[in-house]
Amino acid sequence: MTENTQQQTAPITELPTQYAPAEVEGPLYQRWVERGYFEADAKSEKPPYTVVIPPPNVTGSLHLGHAFEHTLIDALTRRKRMQGFETLWQPGMDHAGIATQNVVERELAKEGKSRHDLGREAFVERVWQWKAESGGQISGQMKRLGDGVAWSRERFTMDEGLSQAVQTIFKKLYDDELIYRAERIINWCPRCLTAISDIEVEYQDDDGELVSIRYGEGDDSLVVATTRAETMLGDTAVAVHPDDERYKHLVGKQIKLPLTDRTIPVVADTHVDPEFGTGAVKVTPAHDPNDFEIGQRHNLPNLAVMDERAIITAHGPFQGLDRLEARSAIVAALRAEGRIVAEKRPYTHSVGHCSRCKTTIEPRLSMQWWVKVGPLAQAAGDAVRDGKVKIHPQEMEKRYFDWVDNLHDWCISRQLWWGHRIPVWYGPNGEVVCVGPDEQPPTGEGWHQDTDVLDTWFSSGLWPFSTLGWPERTESLEKFYPNSVLVTGYDILFFWVARMMMFGLYAMDGTPPFHTIALHGMVRDQNGKKMSKSFGNVVNPLDWMDTYGSDAVRFTLARGANPGVDVPIGEDWVQASSKFANKIWNATRFALMNGATVEGPLPDASEMSATDRWILSRLNKTVADVDAFYDDYQFSKLSDALYHFAWDEVFDWYVELSKTTFFAGGEGARVSGRVLGEVLDVMLRLLHPVVPFVTETLWTTLTGGESVVIADWPKDSGFRDAAAEQEIALVQRVITEVRRFRKEQGLQDAQKVPARLTLDGTALAAHEAAIRQILRLQPEGEGFSATASLPVAGATVALDLSGTIDVEAERKRLAKDLAAAEKEKAQANGKLGNEAFLAKAPDNVVDKIRGRLAKADEDIARIRTQLATLPQA
């Protein structure tokens, strides 16, 4: 039915009675790596399939977000490898400038030292030493998860090749006048002493104060409100909307700035919202990004009043105070002068914090290096608009366009020592020279290199092509660029993804870095709450792997992965996935012990029973469904399809329906054994990309093949048998109805009941033995009395329940249930017959009552049937 070129005939060895993930997973993964299954050959004639790993920080460890994303990528690449693609999953790590520098600085602090005690060269050497000894523990954890990456190609964003790529593109952008140096407002961390990117700023609601301050005197005064009173020392204007009648008489005038000997102008600017607050805002161009823009438009001076540690530098009584100390002192001084019009405490508002050290960030005017993103962002937007790159799910396109179409120039310099140093030299007479990777920097007295390093996102933005050898036109670059798909979280769509798009299109002659961007959501706890140390709900996936196995964690994550939607996860769900892995193990073990085999050709359909044809029809339908879900990145749906096919259709139905055939032996058992072997072979290959470890053990045992990693991906043969599916549906209906009746009568699952089956003339006749075995129905013997009769699916199942239940007690219970159902029906009919009620009630309420009525009718019919089938007293 399906192809499997790796399959070999071999004797089937017996499986252990229990699956022990801890004993299986490590050795299996090591064998895969040693045999080179995950490596990629640039010389191969196979079609390429390339995915880069979103490079984890060298300081990082595996968290649930990593495990989630890696599971999805691994599933995609394992399937493509089985489909015959030359598959490259490119691994590597990011040097994580600020995070890594902080880690090493903390280590130095334990020795009573700072990086300045060591000096730049010695400190950088210390960081490299830390990386060699302690960095990269996440690599070992990725192996625990089963990541099928090409380890021989592992890259680091500061290795020699990637450093050359960084210097090359910096030089190219600089020569094309797309990189420049200018004084602008940036996010500044007074603790880390560096500019930080927007993604490194975490916003949280803090309790602060909102104070309203009167500027000016008498009729020439106005009131402004601020949460950062300390910045008023750097005010160079007050702005109002040009159409605001309240302040038109003040526009162009000078007013006195409190606590200083300066006057500042009142300017008219459309940025001001006249409906917000008093309609007047203080303008501090050196300490606020919006104020900086206003200042640019009105040629206002930029007056910095804080240094890099957020200490007040303005002359006067507040000089030398920390910003927060100055805030309190300034408010007190204003209050003393009668300048405070109103105070609100606490005033909860969103405040940015450094994601690394949690210090409140300070907007600060600073001389920095910038990328002019206009033309680059335009190309990144057009690539999606033109269909060169598809975003999945498509509704995320709007968020992408909202971002790239409104990008501001990107600050790429960081005041750190760990990172790619900016390749610019300054001369004694103001010369500025940008040096490429093959050029010699200028030497001589007075020449020095820029002390800043590049933003980490600058080098990670080159990841799809720098890891393949760019700027050299290597075989790997020619073979594996562009990437087939980028799998990443929607949270970094704006940062990493946009930068890769801009750089890829720019460096690779208009070829985007990937064909598809597949966005997933964030992992949350089982209640949908964000995982956070402060909430106490952070989970270490390694703990779950230790307890339940990596396959269980992977299957849970994949089963929750709907495109672009957050993923709740709880331990109960991982435990359930562990039970699924054990079910696969135990059921396959049973099948192997009872004749399942892959030896010889699959019998012709004419030799098969309806049960055999049914499961093969369902198998091929599942292959088609799983393929369609993979191609649409519907991991949740494909996982659900595999779960229900394996557990429900193969194990709960096919194996159970076939037991009588296996026990009887002969030709029927041989045919069904070969069919079951085929089903298990294909099912295990379908499951492998998501649950690789248990499927490897079972598949190699079943088939004798070398490894399921390199087995052929199943193909839909097109075999369908509608008649067999209808026939087995009838069998399932009979069994389900009788099971429900037995349960309602309080019978135990294992309790045997005498029964007469009237199946003649129906498609059910051939399945009587299976029906009796599954339902524990004994043949009717002497003295058989049909105390209950169930007509179902054109057949009749008559049961002798005498002696098995308390008839009188059961009759009373059913009578009580019937009365309740009839009362529910009467109430529903009463409401639905009330015209006044129907005129006022919302549609959803009316629909709910109609549903209650239908349920009541169904219950009444069922209970009456049960009463009628009870033995007569």
Side-chain angles (χ1 to χ4, degrees), residues 526-555:
Q526 60 189 14
N527 300 313
K529 193 173 184 179
K530 179 181 178 182
M531 287 192 176
S532 167
K533 290 180 181 178
S534 61
F535 296 152
N537 61 351
V538 173
V539 174
N540 183 349
L542 297 173
D543 293 340
W544 281 351
M545 285 187 233
D546 289 341
T547 305
Y548 303 108
S550 297
D551 282 336
V553 174
R554 290 170 62 114
F555 192 73

PDB file of all heavy atoms in Angstrom, residues 526-555:
ATOM      1  N   GLN A 526      -1.423  26.066  32.231  1.00  0.00           N
ATOM      2  CA  GLN A 526      -2.666  25.386  31.863  1.00  0.00           C
ATOM      3  C   GLN A 526      -3.894  26.272  32.007  1.00  0.00           C
ATOM      4  O   GLN A 526      -4.962  25.966  31.466  1.00  0.00           O
ATOM      5  CB  GLN A 526      -2.837  24.130  32.693  1.00  0.00           C
ATOM      6  CG  GLN A 526      -2.900  24.359  34.188  1.00  0.00           C
ATOM      7  CD  GLN A 526      -2.843  23.049  34.956  1.00  0.00           C
ATOM      8  OE1 GLN A 526      -2.502  22.005  34.397  1.00  0.00           O
ATOM      9  NE2 GLN A 526      -3.168  23.095  36.226  1.00  0.00           N
ATOM     10  N   ASN A 527      -3.747  27.397  32.731  1.00  0.00           N
ATOM     11  CA  ASN A 527      -4.847  28.351  32.860  1.00  0.00           C
ATOM     12  C   ASN A 527      -4.754  29.498  31.858  1.00  0.00           C
ATOM     13  O   ASN A 527      -5.515  30.459  31.942  1.00  0.00           O
ATOM     14  CB  ASN A 527      -4.878  28.905  34.288  1.00  0.00           C
ATOM     15  CG  ASN A 527      -5.090  27.815  35.324  1.00  0.00           C
ATOM     16  OD1 ASN A 527      -5.971  26.977  35.170  1.00  0.00           O
ATOM     17  ND2 ASN A 527      -4.262  27.803  36.359  1.00  0.00           N
ATOM     18  N   GLY A 528      -3.786  29.407  30.937  1.00  0.00           N
ATOM     19  CA  GLY A 528      -3.629  30.443  29.932  1.00  0.00           C
ATOM     20  C   GLY A 528      -2.844  31.641  30.422  1.00  0.00           C
ATOM     21  O   GLY A 528      -2.771  32.665  29.737  1.00  0.00           O
ATOM     22  N   LYS A 529      -2.213  31.525  31.584  1.00  0.00           N
ATOM     23  CA  LYS A 529      -1.472  32.644  32.171  1.00  0.00           C
ATOM     24  C   LYS A 529      -0.021  32.615  31.706  1.00  0.00           C
ATOM     25  O   LYS A 529       0.579  31.549  31.551  1.00  0.00           O
ATOM     26  CB  LYS A 529      -1.532  32.557  33.699  1.00  0.00           C
ATOM     27  CG  LYS A 529      -1.078  33.807  34.422  1.00  0.00           C
ATOM     28  CD  LYS A 529      -1.349  33.661  35.932  1.00  0.00           C
ATOM     29  CE  LYS A 529      -0.991  34.935  36.684  1.00  0.00           C
ATOM     30  NZ  LYS A 529      -1.268  34.800  38.131  1.00  0.00           N
ATOM     31  N   LYS A 530       0.542  33.791  31.477  1.00  0.00           N
ATOM     32  CA  LYS A 530       1.942  33.894  31.061  1.00  0.00           C
ATOM     33  C   LYS A 530       2.831  33.256  32.116  1.00  0.00           C
ATOM     34  O   LYS A 530       2.631  33.438  33.312  1.00  0.00           O
ATOM     35  CB  LYS A 530       2.330  35.363  30.869  1.00  0.00           C
ATOM     36  CG  LYS A 530       3.782  35.577  30.454  1.00  0.00           C
ATOM     37  CD  LYS A 530       4.092  37.059  30.309  1.00  0.00           C
ATOM     38  CE  LYS A 530       5.563  37.266  29.954  1.00  0.00           C
ATOM     39  NZ  LYS A 530       5.913  38.697  29.855  1.00  0.00           N
ATOM     40  N   MET A 531       3.831  32.502  31.644  1.00  0.00           N
ATOM     41  CA  MET A 531       4.762  31.899  32.591  1.00  0.00           C
ATOM     42  C   MET A 531       5.779  32.936  33.044  1.00  0.00           C
ATOM     43  O   MET A 531       6.406  33.608  32.232  1.00  0.00           O
ATOM     44  CB  MET A 531       5.457  30.692  31.960  1.00  0.00           C
ATOM     45  CG  MET A 531       4.546  29.490  31.808  1.00  0.00           C
ATOM     46  SD  MET A 531       5.441  27.991  31.387  1.00  0.00           S
ATOM     47  CE  MET A 531       4.097  26.796  31.421  1.00  0.00           C
ATOM     48  N   SER A 532       5.934  33.053  34.353  1.00  0.00           N
ATOM     49  CA  SER A 532       6.830  34.063  34.919  1.00  0.00           C
ATOM     50  C   SER A 532       7.318  33.584  36.275  1.00  0.00           C
ATOM     51  O   SER A 532       6.570  32.952  37.035  1.00  0.00           O
ATOM     52  CB  SER A 532       6.084  35.396  35.075  1.00  0.00           C
ATOM     53  OG  SER A 532       6.811  36.301  35.878  1.00  0.00           O
ATOM     54  N   LYS A 533       8.579  33.887  36.579  1.00  0.00           N
ATOM     55  CA  LYS A 533       9.114  33.519  37.888  1.00  0.00           C
ATOM     56  C   LYS A 533       8.317  34.180  39.001  1.00  0.00           C
ATOM     57  O   LYS A 533       8.096  33.588  40.057  1.00  0.00           O
ATOM     58  CB  LYS A 533      10.586  33.925  37.980  1.00  0.00           C
ATOM     59  CG  LYS A 533      11.511  33.096  37.101  1.00  0.00           C
ATOM     60  CD  LYS A 533      12.962  33.534  37.238  1.00  0.00           C
ATOM     61  CE  LYS A 533      13.865  32.705  36.329  1.00  0.00           C
ATOM     62  NZ  LYS A 533      15.280  33.158  36.414  1.00  0.00           N
ATOM     63  N   SER A 534       7.865  35.403  38.753  1.00  0.00           N
ATOM     64  CA  SER A 534       7.107  36.121  39.773  1.00  0.00           C
ATOM     65  C   SER A 534       5.751  35.456  40.024  1.00  0.00           C
ATOM     66  O   SER A 534       5.204  35.548  41.123  1.00  0.00           O
ATOM     67  CB  SER A 534       6.903  37.580  39.365  1.00  0.00           C
ATOM     68  OG  SER A 534       6.171  37.673  38.158  1.00  0.00           O
ATOM     69  N   PHE A 535       5.191  34.771  39.009  1.00  0.00           N
ATOM     70  CA  PHE A 535       3.923  34.065  39.186  1.00  0.00           C
ATOM     71  C   PHE A 535       4.128  32.671  39.787  1.00  0.00           C
ATOM     72  O   PHE A 535       3.173  32.022  40.206  1.00  0.00           O
ATOM     73  CB  PHE A 535       3.187  33.908  37.850  1.00  0.00           C
ATOM     74  CG  PHE A 535       2.759  35.205  37.218  1.00  0.00           C
ATOM     75  CD1 PHE A 535       2.636  35.313  35.836  1.00  0.00           C
ATOM     76  CD2 PHE A 535       2.485  36.323  37.991  1.00  0.00           C
ATOM     77  CE1 PHE A 535       2.235  36.499  35.240  1.00  0.00           C
ATOM     78  CE2 PHE A 535       2.094  37.513  37.409  1.00  0.00           C
ATOM     79  CZ  PHE A 535       1.972  37.605  36.036  1.00  0.00           C
ATOM     80  N   GLY A 536       5.374  32.202  39.779  1.00  0.00           N
ATOM     81  CA  GLY A 536       5.655  30.875  40.307  1.00  0.00           C
ATOM     82  C   GLY A 536       5.153  29.751  39.440  1.00  0.00           C
ATOM     83  O   GLY A 536       4.929  28.637  39.926  1.00  0.00           O
ATOM     84  N   ASN A 537       4.965  30.004  38.137  1.00  0.00           N
ATOM     85  CA  ASN A 537       4.402  28.966  37.253  1.00  0.00           C
ATOM     86  C   ASN A 537       5.348  28.565  36.134  1.00  0.00           C
ATOM     87  O   ASN A 537       4.925  27.958  35.146  1.00  0.00           O
ATOM     88  CB  ASN A 537       3.070  29.444  36.660  1.00  0.00           C
ATOM     89  CG  ASN A 537       3.210  30.701  35.811  1.00  0.00           C
ATOM     90  OD1 ASN A 537       4.268  31.336  35.784  1.00  0.00           O
ATOM     91  ND2 ASN A 537       2.148  31.082  35.134  1.00  0.00           N
ATOM     92  N   VAL A 538       6.629  28.903  36.278  1.00  0.00           N
ATOM     93  CA  VAL A 538       7.608  28.524  35.258  1.00  0.00           C
ATOM     94  C   VAL A 538       7.925  27.038  35.397  1.00  0.00           C
ATOM     95  O   VAL A 538       8.105  26.530  36.507  1.00  0.00           O
ATOM     96  CB  VAL A 538       8.898  29.360  35.398  1.00  0.00           C
ATOM     97  CG1 VAL A 538       9.976  28.843  34.452  1.00  0.00           C
ATOM     98  CG2 VAL A 538       8.603  30.822  35.107  1.00  0.00           C
ATOM     99  N   VAL A 539       7.973  26.342  34.283  1.00  0.00           N
ATOM    100  CA  VAL A 539       8.236  24.900  34.270  1.00  0.00           C
ATOM    101  C   VAL A 539       9.548  24.634  33.546  1.00  0.00           C
ATOM    102  O   VAL A 539       9.798  25.190  32.471  1.00  0.00           O
ATOM    103  CB  VAL A 539       7.088  24.141  33.564  1.00  0.00           C
ATOM    104  CG1 VAL A 539       7.435  22.672  33.413  1.00  0.00           C
ATOM    105  CG2 VAL A 539       5.787  24.314  34.330  1.00  0.00           C
ATOM    106  N   ASN A 540      10.374  23.802  34.155  1.00  0.00           N
ATOM    107  CA  ASN A 540      11.589  23.342  33.487  1.00  0.00           C
ATOM    108  C   ASN A 540      11.234  22.090  32.681  1.00  0.00           C
ATOM    109  O   ASN A 540      10.890  21.053  33.259  1.00  0.00           O
ATOM    110  CB  ASN A 540      12.661  23.011  34.524  1.00  0.00           C
ATOM    111  CG  ASN A 540      13.975  22.584  33.877  1.00  0.00           C
ATOM    112  OD1 ASN A 540      14.048  22.335  32.672  1.00  0.00           O
ATOM    113  ND2 ASN A 540      15.015  22.488  34.680  1.00  0.00           N
ATOM    114  N   PRO A 541      11.286  22.167  31.352  1.00  0.00           N
ATOM    115  CA  PRO A 541      10.877  21.002  30.546  1.00  0.00           C
ATOM    116  C   PRO A 541      11.732  19.768  30.817  1.00  0.00           C
ATOM    117  O   PRO A 541      11.279  18.645  30.612  1.00  0.00           O
ATOM    118  CB  PRO A 541      11.043  21.497  29.100  1.00  0.00           C
ATOM    119  CG  PRO A 541      12.008  22.633  29.173  1.00  0.00           C
ATOM    120  CD  PRO A 541      11.771  23.281  30.507  1.00  0.00           C
ATOM    121  N   LEU A 542      12.965  19.969  31.289  1.00  0.00           N
ATOM    122  CA  LEU A 542      13.821  18.827  31.576  1.00  0.00           C
ATOM    123  C   LEU A 542      13.248  17.981  32.716  1.00  0.00           C
ATOM    124  O   LEU A 542      13.401  16.754  32.730  1.00  0.00           O
ATOM    125  CB  LEU A 542      15.236  19.300  31.939  1.00  0.00           C
ATOM    126  CG  LEU A 542      15.983  20.032  30.819  1.00  0.00           C
ATOM    127  CD1 LEU A 542      17.291  20.598  31.344  1.00  0.00           C
ATOM    128  CD2 LEU A 542      16.242  19.100  29.644  1.00  0.00           C
ATOM    129  N   ASP A 543      12.564  18.631  33.670  1.00  0.00           N
ATOM    130  CA  ASP A 543      11.933  17.871  34.755  1.00  0.00           C
ATOM    131  C   ASP A 543      10.849  16.958  34.196  1.00  0.00           C
ATOM    132  O   ASP A 543      10.720  15.798  34.607  1.00  0.00           O
ATOM    133  CB  ASP A 543      11.332  18.832  35.785  1.00  0.00           C
ATOM    134  CG  ASP A 543      12.395  19.621  36.536  1.00  0.00           C
ATOM    135  OD1 ASP A 543      13.561  19.179  36.553  1.00  0.00           O
ATOM    136  OD2 ASP A 543      12.057  20.694  37.091  1.00  0.00           O
ATOM    137  N   TRP A 544      10.049  17.490  33.276  1.00  0.00           N
ATOM    138  CA  TRP A 544       9.001  16.677  32.665  1.00  0.00           C
ATOM    139  C   TRP A 544       9.605  15.568  31.811  1.00  0.00           C
ATOM    140  O   TRP A 544       9.085  14.450  31.771  1.00  0.00           O
ATOM    141  CB  TRP A 544       8.078  17.562  31.825  1.00  0.00           C
ATOM    142  CG  TRP A 544       7.077  18.330  32.642  1.00  0.00           C
ATOM    143  CD1 TRP A 544       6.826  18.173  33.974  1.00  0.00           C
ATOM    144  CD2 TRP A 544       6.194  19.350  32.179  1.00  0.00           C
ATOM    145  NE1 TRP A 544       5.841  19.052  34.371  1.00  0.00           N
ATOM    146  CE2 TRP A 544       5.436  19.774  33.299  1.00  0.00           C
ATOM    147  CE3 TRP A 544       5.972  19.943  30.944  1.00  0.00           C
ATOM    148  CZ2 TRP A 544       4.464  20.770  33.207  1.00  0.00           C
ATOM    149  CZ3 TRP A 544       5.001  20.940  30.848  1.00  0.00           C
ATOM    150  CH2 TRP A 544       4.263  21.341  31.963  1.00  0.00           C
ATOM    151  N   MET A 545      10.696  15.871  31.126  1.00  0.00           N
ATOM    152  CA  MET A 545      11.350  14.836  30.312  1.00  0.00           C
ATOM    153  C   MET A 545      11.877  13.715  31.200  1.00  0.00           C
ATOM    154  O   MET A 545      11.797  12.535  30.846  1.00  0.00           O
ATOM    155  CB  MET A 545      12.487  15.440  29.498  1.00  0.00           C
ATOM    156  CG  MET A 545      12.037  16.255  28.303  1.00  0.00           C
ATOM    157  SD  MET A 545      13.456  16.755  27.305  1.00  0.00           S
ATOM    158  CE  MET A 545      13.175  18.493  27.224  1.00  0.00           C
ATOM    159  N   ASP A 546      12.438  14.094  32.368  1.00  0.00           N
ATOM    160  CA  ASP A 546      12.931  13.072  33.295  1.00  0.00           C
ATOM    161  C   ASP A 546      11.805  12.166  33.769  1.00  0.00           C
ATOM    162  O   ASP A 546      11.983  10.957  33.935  1.00  0.00           O
ATOM    163  CB  ASP A 546      13.586  13.740  34.511  1.00  0.00           C
ATOM    164  CG  ASP A 546      14.915  14.413  34.169  1.00  0.00           C
ATOM    165  OD1 ASP A 546      15.495  14.063  33.127  1.00  0.00           O
ATOM    166  OD2 ASP A 546      15.348  15.288  34.939  1.00  0.00           O
ATOM    167  N   THR A 547      10.639  12.747  34.011  1.00  0.00           N
ATOM    168  CA  THR A 547       9.520  11.990  34.573  1.00  0.00           C
ATOM    169  C   THR A 547       8.742  11.213  33.517  1.00  0.00           C
ATOM    170  O   THR A 547       8.385  10.042  33.729  1.00  0.00           O
ATOM    171  CB  THR A 547       8.555  12.944  35.311  1.00  0.00           C
ATOM    172  OG1 THR A 547       9.281  13.693  36.285  1.00  0.00           O
ATOM    173  CG2 THR A 547       7.435  12.173  35.987  1.00  0.00           C
ATOM    174  N   TYR A 548       8.474  11.850  32.377  1.00  0.00           N
ATOM    175  CA  TYR A 548       7.559  11.269  31.395  1.00  0.00           C
ATOM    176  C   TYR A 548       8.210  10.903  30.066  1.00  0.00           C
ATOM    177  O   TYR A 548       7.585  10.247  29.236  1.00  0.00           O
ATOM    178  CB  TYR A 548       6.402  12.234  31.118  1.00  0.00           C
ATOM    179  CG  TYR A 548       5.639  12.624  32.363  1.00  0.00           C
ATOM    180  CD1 TYR A 548       5.751  13.902  32.904  1.00  0.00           C
ATOM    181  CD2 TYR A 548       4.809  11.703  33.004  1.00  0.00           C
ATOM    182  CE1 TYR A 548       5.049  14.263  34.050  1.00  0.00           C
ATOM    183  CE2 TYR A 548       4.109  12.056  34.153  1.00  0.00           C
ATOM    184  CZ  TYR A 548       4.235  13.337  34.667  1.00  0.00           C
ATOM    185  OH  TYR A 548       3.547  13.684  35.800  1.00  0.00           O
ATOM    186  N   GLY A 549       9.428  11.351  29.826  1.00  0.00           N
ATOM    187  CA  GLY A 549      10.082  11.101  28.549  1.00  0.00           C
ATOM    188  C   GLY A 549       9.931  12.272  27.600  1.00  0.00           C
ATOM    189  O   GLY A 549       8.969  13.044  27.675  1.00  0.00           O
ATOM    190  N   SER A 550      10.888  12.413  26.704  1.00  0.00           N
ATOM    191  CA  SER A 550      10.883  13.538  25.761  1.00  0.00           C
ATOM    192  C   SER A 550       9.724  13.453  24.782  1.00  0.00           C
ATOM    193  O   SER A 550       9.150  14.471  24.390  1.00  0.00           O
ATOM    194  CB  SER A 550      12.212  13.585  24.997  1.00  0.00           C
ATOM    195  OG  SER A 550      13.284  13.818  25.888  1.00  0.00           O
ATOM    196  N   ASP A 551       9.369  12.235  24.365  1.00  0.00           N
ATOM    197  CA  ASP A 551       8.252  12.094  23.422  1.00  0.00           C
ATOM    198  C   ASP A 551       6.962  12.671  24.001  1.00  0.00           C
ATOM    199  O   ASP A 551       6.178  13.308  23.288  1.00  0.00           O
ATOM    200  CB  ASP A 551       8.027  10.611  23.085  1.00  0.00           C
ATOM    201  CG  ASP A 551       9.037  10.084  22.084  1.00  0.00           C
ATOM    202  OD1 ASP A 551       9.601  10.894  21.326  1.00  0.00           O
ATOM    203  OD2 ASP A 551       9.258   8.863  22.058  1.00  0.00           O
ATOM    204  N   ALA A 552       6.731  12.453  25.289  1.00  0.00           N
ATOM    205  CA  ALA A 552       5.503  12.947  25.917  1.00  0.00           C
ATOM    206  C   ALA A 552       5.462  14.462  25.920  1.00  0.00           C
ATOM    207  O   ALA A 552       4.415  15.073  25.656  1.00  0.00           O
ATOM    208  CB  ALA A 552       5.389  12.413  27.342  1.00  0.00           C
ATOM    209  N   VAL A 553       6.606  15.096  26.210  1.00  0.00           N
ATOM    210  CA  VAL A 553       6.670  16.559  26.194  1.00  0.00           C
ATOM    211  C   VAL A 553       6.450  17.065  24.772  1.00  0.00           C
ATOM    212  O   VAL A 553       5.680  18.009  24.542  1.00  0.00           O
ATOM    213  CB  VAL A 553       8.020  17.051  26.750  1.00  0.00           C
ATOM    214  CG1 VAL A 553       8.146  18.560  26.607  1.00  0.00           C
ATOM    215  CG2 VAL A 553       8.169  16.655  28.218  1.00  0.00           C
ATOM    216  N   ARG A 554       7.109  16.444  23.805  1.00  0.00           N
ATOM    217  CA  ARG A 554       6.985  16.867  22.409  1.00  0.00           C
ATOM    218  C   ARG A 554       5.546  16.729  21.919  1.00  0.00           C
ATOM    219  O   ARG A 554       5.009  17.644  21.281  1.00  0.00           O
ATOM    220  CB  ARG A 554       7.916  16.027  21.522  1.00  0.00           C
ATOM    221  CG  ARG A 554       9.392  16.308  21.701  1.00  0.00           C
ATOM    222  CD  ARG A 554      10.233  15.275  20.962  1.00  0.00           C
ATOM    223  NE  ARG A 554       9.974  15.310  19.542  1.00  0.00           N
ATOM    224  CZ  ARG A 554      10.855  15.682  18.615  1.00  0.00           C
ATOM    225  NH1 ARG A 554      12.063  16.078  18.980  1.00  0.00           N
ATOM    226  NH2 ARG A 554      10.542  15.673  17.336  1.00  0.00           N
ATOM    227  N   PHE A 555       4.923  15.598  22.202  1.00  0.00           N
ATOM    228  CA  PHE A 555       3.568  15.379  21.688  1.00  0.00           C
ATOM    229  C   PHE A 555       2.585  16.368  22.311  1.00  0.00           C
ATOM    230  O   PHE A 555       1.691  16.884  21.626  1.00  0.00           O
ATOM    231  CB  PHE A 555       3.112  13.943  21.964  1.00  0.00           C
ATOM    232  CG  PHE A 555       1.856  13.567  21.224  1.00  0.00           C
ATOM    233  CD1 PHE A 555       1.886  13.332  19.860  1.00  0.00           C
ATOM    234  CD2 PHE A 555       0.641  13.473  21.880  1.00  0.00           C
ATOM    235  CE1 PHE A 555       0.732  13.002  19.157  1.00  0.00           C
ATOM    236  CE2 PHE A 555      -0.518  13.142  21.200  1.00  0.00           C
ATOM    237  CZ  PHE A 555      -0.471  12.904  19.834  1.00  0.00           C
TER     238      PHE A 555
END
